[in-house]
Amino acid sequence: MASNDPGCAPIPTAEGSPKDAIDPHGDDRPVAPDQFNPIYETSTKEIWAYYAYYIGDNGLTLFNFAPTAFQNLLYQAAGDAEVLHFAGRDRTINSIVLLANGISFAIQVLIFLVVGSYADFGSSRPNILIVLSVVAFGIGFGWLGVHTANKWEIAAGMYIVGLIAYQTTLTFWTAAFPGLARNTPQLRTKAEEYNDGIITRDDYDHADMMQRSRLANMAFYIQSCGEIVILAVIVGVLFAVDVRASEANNNWGLSVLIAFATGVWLLLAIPWFVIEKRRPGEPIPPNMNIVTAGIWQLHRAITQIWHLKQSLLYLIGYFLLGDSLNTTVTVIATLQNSIVAYDTLTLTYLLLVGIAAQAAGIYTFWWLQRRFCLGTKTMFTAVMAAIVVLDAWGMIGIWTPRFGFHAVWEVWLYQAFYGLFVCPWYSYSQIMISEVTPRGKEFLFFSLFSIVGKTSAFIGPLVSSAIIDASPSGNNSAPFYFLFALSAGSAVLLGVGVDLKRSRREQERFLEEERVVRERLKGRSADGSGSGSLDS
C-alpha cells in the first residue's frame, strides 16, 4: 500500500465489536461512540485470517462454476429444443436458470429473518458462519457426483442450495467488518483525541469512515489477487483433465473445478474459525432469552427504521439497484455462456481477465479515495454510473446483433469493464450500509439489507424470466429494457436522496431512544412489573 496522504486522517487496521457509548447526561464533554475492552483488540493475525476467509469464499465454487455446470447440463438434457419441464411447465433454459435464482433468494429471506435478528446478541455469531460454511463445503464437494445430463434435476437442487450457502456465508462474514474496523488501535487513539477535544466529531467520523473503507476495500483487493492465483492453478487442472477432448471431459472438468475451489475455501476458512475473537454482542434485555431478544430487536428495527429516514432511503435504493445488478450479471452470464459454447477453458480465461480487472479496479478506487480524501458516497456514485452504462450496453443488443453482448470480443471487453468499474459495488455498497447502520446493530442491519437484497434478487430474475417468455422471439436480451430503467432510476434516487451526515444524526437519536427503552425494561424487571414485551 502507498503511504497515507498527509491531507487525510490516519487510517486504522484492526477489528472488533463496538459498544454504543452515548452520553446519558448530555454534558459538553465529547463522548466517542467506539470505546471497547482492550482484551478484544484485534491482532494482525486476525485481520489476515479475516482476509483469508474471503479469498476462499470468492464465489468460484457456488457462484461462478456451479451456475455454469448447471446451465451446461440443462442444455445437454434439453437438446435442440432447448426446453425442459421445470416447476410445473415447459420453460427455456434461461428461464429455468432465472427461476432457480428467484427460488434460492426467496429461501434466503427466511433464513436471514430467523438467524440475522439475534446475531448481535451473545457470542454465537461465529458458530452461525461455521455451520453455513460447512453446508457450502458439502455442496461444493457434492458436485463431483453430478456431471451428466440425466442428473440435471439434482443439479438444480444443488445450484439452489449452493447459492443460499454462498450468499449467507458472505453476508455474515461481511457484517463483521464495521465492528472490526472500529476496534483498531488507531481508531481507539482517535476516540481518545476526540474525548480530549483535540479533534472534532467530523474528524473522528472521517477517520471511522476511512478505516471501514480500508478494511472492506483491502479485503476485496487481497481476495482478487488470491483468486487470480487460484484460477491460474485451475488452468493447469483443466489441461490435466483435458476438458476439450470431449463433452464428458468438459462436464467432469467443471465438477473438478468446483470441488478444488471448495477445498481451497475450506483450508483458508479454518484460520478465521480459530483466530476470530468471540467478542460479546449486545446484552440480552431483561426477561428475554437469545431467541425472544432477537425477535424483539427485529421488531424494533422494523418499526423504528421509519425514524431512520436516510437508512430507509438507502434501503429502498439498495433494493432497486441491487435488483438491477444481480439480474444484469445473471442475464449477461447466460449470454456469455452461449457465446463461448460453455468451453470451460475459455470461461476460466475470461474469469482471469475479470478478476485481474477487479483487483485493479478496487485498488484504483481505494487509492483515489485515499489520495483525494473522497467520501464513500462519491465513490459509490461513480460505481452507480458504471452500472447504468452496462445496462445501456445490453439494451442496444435488443435492436442489433452487431453490439450488445452478441460477439466474442464483447464478453472479453465486458469482463474488463465489469472488473474495473462495476465490481467496486461489492465493497462500496457494503461500506454504505455501515454508514447508515447504528453502532452495535451491524449484524441485524446487515441481515435486513441482505433480506432486501435477496428479495430484490428474487423479483428481478422472475420479471426477466417473464419478459423472455413473453417475447415473441424469445429474445434473451429483452430484460435490458427493464434493467436499464431500474438502474437509472435507482441511481438518481440514491445520488440525490441519501445524506450521510443527516443519517449519523438520525442514528444517534435512534440509539438514545433505545437506551431509554432498555432502562425502562430494566426498571420494570427490578420492581417485578412488566415482561419486556415487544410493545415496550
Side-chain angles (χ1 to χ4, degrees):
M1 289 288 296
S3 61
N4 290 337
D5 183 85
C8 284
I11 303 167
T13 42
E15 322 165 31
S17 69
K19 295 293 181 185
D20 301 335
I22 302 168
D23 183 7
H25 305 296
D27 59 33
D28 294 331
R29 186 179 71 83
V31 176
D34 299 315
Q35 304 299 319
F36 63 97
N37 191 328
I39 68 172
Y40 294 119
E41 185 171 291
T42 305
S43 66
T44 301
K45 288 182 179 179
E46 189 177 16
I47 297 173
W48 280 98
Y50 181 74
Y51 292 159
Y53 183 92
Y54 195 26
I55 296 174
D57 195 2
N58 53 49
L60 287 177
T61 53
L62 306 178
F63 190 71
N64 292 114
F65 286 122
T68 301
F70 172 47
Q71 192 176 347
N72 182 43
L73 295 182
L74 288 178
Y75 268 101
Q76 292 175 23
D80 294 337
E82 294 191 1
V83 173
L84 289 169
H85 193 78
F86 182 75
R89 56 168 288 188
D90 289 340
R91 302 177 186 274
T92 66
I93 303 305
N94 289 340
S95 177
I96 291 173
V97 173
L98 291 167
L99 183 58
N101 275 7
I103 294 170
S104 172
F105 291 130
I107 295 173
Q108 288 175 50
V109 171
L110 299 177
I111 293 176
F112 281 119
L113 282 173
V114 173
V115 176
S117 58
Y118 63 82
D120 282 311
F121 294 102
S123 57
S124 64
R125 182 195 50 79
N127 295 334
I128 296 172
L129 182 61
I130 290 172
V131 170
L132 293 171
S133 298
V134 169
V135 173
F137 301 152
I139 294 294
F141 290 125
W143 275 98
L144 287 173
V146 181
H147 50 86
T148 55
N150 65 321
K151 294 183 178 179
W152 72 268
E153 291 175 307
I154 298 175
M158 293 181 64
Y159 172 68
I160 291 171
V161 176
L163 277 183
I164 294 169
Y166 168 70
Q167 297 286 357
T168 52
T169 56
L170 196 58
T171 295
F172 280 98
W173 172 86
T174 303
F177 90 87
L180 297 176
R182 286 166 174 159
N183 277 281
T184 64
Q186 293 89 336
L187 202 57
R188 188 181 187 193
T189 299
K190 286 294 175 184
E192 292 169 353
E193 291 177 358
Y194 175 60
N195 285 342
D196 292 339
I198 298 173
I199 62 174
T200 66
R201 179 59 187 266
D202 283 345
D203 293 332
Y204 179 80
D205 287 339
H206 179 78
D208 175 22
M209 175 198 70
M210 294 299 286
Q211 171 57 10
R212 284 180 283 113
S213 292
R214 173 183 173 125
L215 193 62
N217 285 318
M218 286 306 297
F220 194 18
Y221 171 71
I222 291 169
Q223 183 249 40
S224 300
C225 294
E227 193 171 353
I228 292 173
V229 175
I230 296 171
L231 282 169
V233 175
I234 282 175
V235 171
V237 173
L238 290 174
F239 278 107
V241 178
D242 196 8
V243 292
R244 285 179 170 170
S246 67
E247 182 180 87
N249 279 30
N250 189 64
N251 293 356
W252 174 241
L254 281 169
S255 292
V256 169
L257 295 190
I258 297 169
F260 170 75
T262 299
V264 173
W265 182 6
L266 171 61
L267 291 175
L268 292 176
I270 291 174
W272 178 241
F273 294 158
V274 174
I275 296 174
E276 181 188 9
K277 294 180 180 178
R278 292 177 173 261
R279 299 171 180 87
E282 292 192 328
I284 297 176
N287 300 321
M288 297 185 190
N289 56 40
I290 188 69
V291 176
T292 56
I295 296 172
W296 176 79
Q297 175 159 266
L298 179 62
H299 175 269
R300 280 197 58 77
I302 292 174
T303 56
Q304 297 301 313
I305 198 172
W306 308 107
H307 300 292
L308 296 168
K309 293 181 176 59
Q310 297 302 309
S311 302
L312 183 59
L313 190 60
Y314 181 68
L315 189 69
I316 295 169
Y318 180 78
F319 172 90
L320 296 173
L321 194 57
D323 188 11
S324 174
L325 181 57
N326 286 333
T327 310
T328 296
V329 170
T330 301
V331 171
I332 295 175
T334 59
L335 296 171
Q336 174 181 276
N337 289 340
S338 299
I339 290 170
V340 302
Y342 303 97
D343 183 81
T344 308
L345 199 56
T346 300
L347 289 170
T348 303
Y349 289 148
L350 284 167
L351 268 177
L352 274 169
V353 171
I355 300 305
Q358 173 180 293
I362 195 63
Y363 189 89
T364 301
F365 267 69
W366 170 229
W367 181 85
L368 289 171
Q369 184 178 10
R370 291 181 63 186
R371 177 66 180 83
F372 299 104
C373 299
L374 301 173
T376 300
K377 186 180 175 183
T378 300
M379 309 308 295
F380 185 65
T381 300
V383 177
M384 291 193 294
I387 295 173
V388 175
V389 170
L390 191 62
D391 284 319
W393 181 3
M395 188 168 63
I396 294 173
I398 300 173
W399 308 314
T400 175
R402 295 190 301 173
F403 189 79
F405 304 112
H406 294 302
V408 173
W409 67 266
E410 285 187 283
V411 299
W412 292 97
L413 180 59
Y414 158 70
Q415 289 292 342
F417 179 86
Y418 180 74
L420 287 170
F421 301 108
V422 179
C423 277
W425 156 272
Y426 297 104
S427 61
Y428 280 101
S429 64
Q430 303 303 305
I431 298 168
M432 282 289 290
I433 293 174
S434 71
E435 292 277 6
V436 299
T437 295
R439 285 169 165 84
K441 309 292 183 182
E442 283 76 21
F443 291 98
L444 170 62
F445 272 73
F446 270 81
S447 290
L448 289 176
F449 273 89
S450 291
I451 289 169
V452 166
K454 302 324 168 194
T455 302
S456 71
F458 161 65
I459 294 172
L462 293 181
V463 172
S464 296
S465 175
I467 291 173
I468 292 173
D469 290 340
S471 173
S473 60
N475 190 335
N476 290 326
S477 296
F480 283 111
Y481 281 127
F482 161 68
L483 296 173
F484 175 76
L486 191 61
S487 60
S490 55
V492 171
L493 173 66
L494 288 167
V496 175
V498 176
D499 184 327
L500 295 183
K501 284 191 175 182
R502 185 180 301 171
S503 176
R504 292 187 192 108
R505 294 193 293 269
E506 291 176 352
Q507 292 168 44
E508 289 173 358
R509 287 195 296 269
F510 175 87
L511 292 172
E512 173 62 14
E513 289 169 3
E514 176 155 298
R515 185 191 66 80
V516 172
V517 170
R518 285 178 178 274
E519 290 297 323
R520 188 186 307 141
L521 289 174
K522 190 180 298 183
R524 290 182 181 180
S525 178
D527 64 19
S529 63
S531 58
S533 70
L534 293 178
D535 296 327
S536 298

